Amino acid sequence: MRFPTRFGVALTPSASPPPELLRPARASYIALTVLLAAILNLLALPELITRVKPDFIALILIYWTIFHPDRVSFTIVWTLGLLMDVASGSLFGQHALAYTLMLYLAALFHRRIIMFPMPYQVFHVGTILLLAQLVTLALRSVAGSDFPGPTYFLPSLLGAALWPLVTALLRAPLRQSPEQDAT
């Protein structure tokens, strides 16, 4: 069968697989994932690991905002940000503002991000994480802190690199088992 061409490129039917069907996420599952992310954020680790450790709460919030935008509210995100400020002893409100910005950007672009293949999703999530870190850095510099160095941005890059793993882990319990046909 011959397909028409446009600008020398054959227009063939898409060979991409159909989208995966997932069960809806329960509020208890979302709360459990956020709680686990908070525990991972607050683990006492050596200083070298703490400097490059990604913000797991940010990754989880971005995931739920992209794939279930109606399940995460700004109030919850703001409260989580304030709790992280208190737990980490940082400038009060910096995590709250950064998380709120991330939620806004993820909600704004969630339809676009869902349609992209994984490498483009990694790029978008990394951009959102870097913008949130830039806001945090700006707030710290206004408060009088020195520039922490270029390694300050490593957690965002590592978080973007972990995006495929986070997506796979969070989707695993929501996958529907294939129905077996009686015939």
Side-chain angles (χ1 to χ4, degrees):
M1 176 182 222
R2 185 164 167 87
F3 294 102
T5 61
R6 174 174 239 154
F7 305 113
V9 177
L11 301 176
T12 60
S14 176
S16 63
E20 183 179 33
L21 292 176
L22 301 173
R23 287 187 290 252
R26 295 182 180 198
S28 58
Y29 179 59
I30 294 172
L32 177 68
T33 59
V34 171
L35 179 66
L36 290 174
I39 290 170
L40 286 173
N41 268 9
L42 298 175
L43 280 177
L45 298 171
E47 185 178 346
L48 178 66
I49 294 173
T50 304
R51 285 187 187 177
V52 298
K53 180 178 67 170
D55 190 350
F56 292 105
I57 290 179
L59 279 172
I60 298 298
L61 291 175
I62 289 172
Y63 175 83
W64 289 121
T65 304
I66 289 173
F67 291 103
H68 295 282
D70 57 335
R71 305 292 278 204
V72 181
S73 70
F74 283 100
T75 306
I76 293 170
V77 171
W78 185 263
T79 305
L80 282 170
L82 291 178
L83 290 174
M84 284 305 299
D85 288 333
V86 170
S88 64
S90 59
L91 183 65
F92 195 65
Q94 79 178 18
H95 282 95
L97 183 62
Y99 287 174
T100 306
L101 174 70
M102 284 187 312
L103 179 77
Y104 174 74
L105 292 174
L108 184 66
F109 296 116
H110 82 276
R111 290 183 189 208
R112 176 180 294 179
I113 294 172
I114 288 174
M115 305 252 329
F116 285 137
M118 189 54 69
Y120 293 107
Q121 287 183 19
V122 168
F123 173 75
H124 280 83
V125 169
T127 303
I128 291 171
L129 290 171
L130 279 172
L131 285 173
Q133 261 198 318
L134 284 172
V135 166
T136 304
L137 182 64
L139 289 173
R140 288 177 58 171
S141 66
V142 167
S145 293
D146 293 333
F147 180 68
T151 59
Y152 177 75
F153 298 105
L154 284 177
S156 291
L157 299 175
L158 186 58
L162 287 175
W163 179 251
L165 179 64
V166 167
T167 303
L169 288 175
L170 291 177
R171 284 185 177 187
L174 301 176
R175 285 195 177 95
Q176 295 181 358
S177 60
E179 298 175 353
Q180 295 183 354
D181 202 2
T183 57

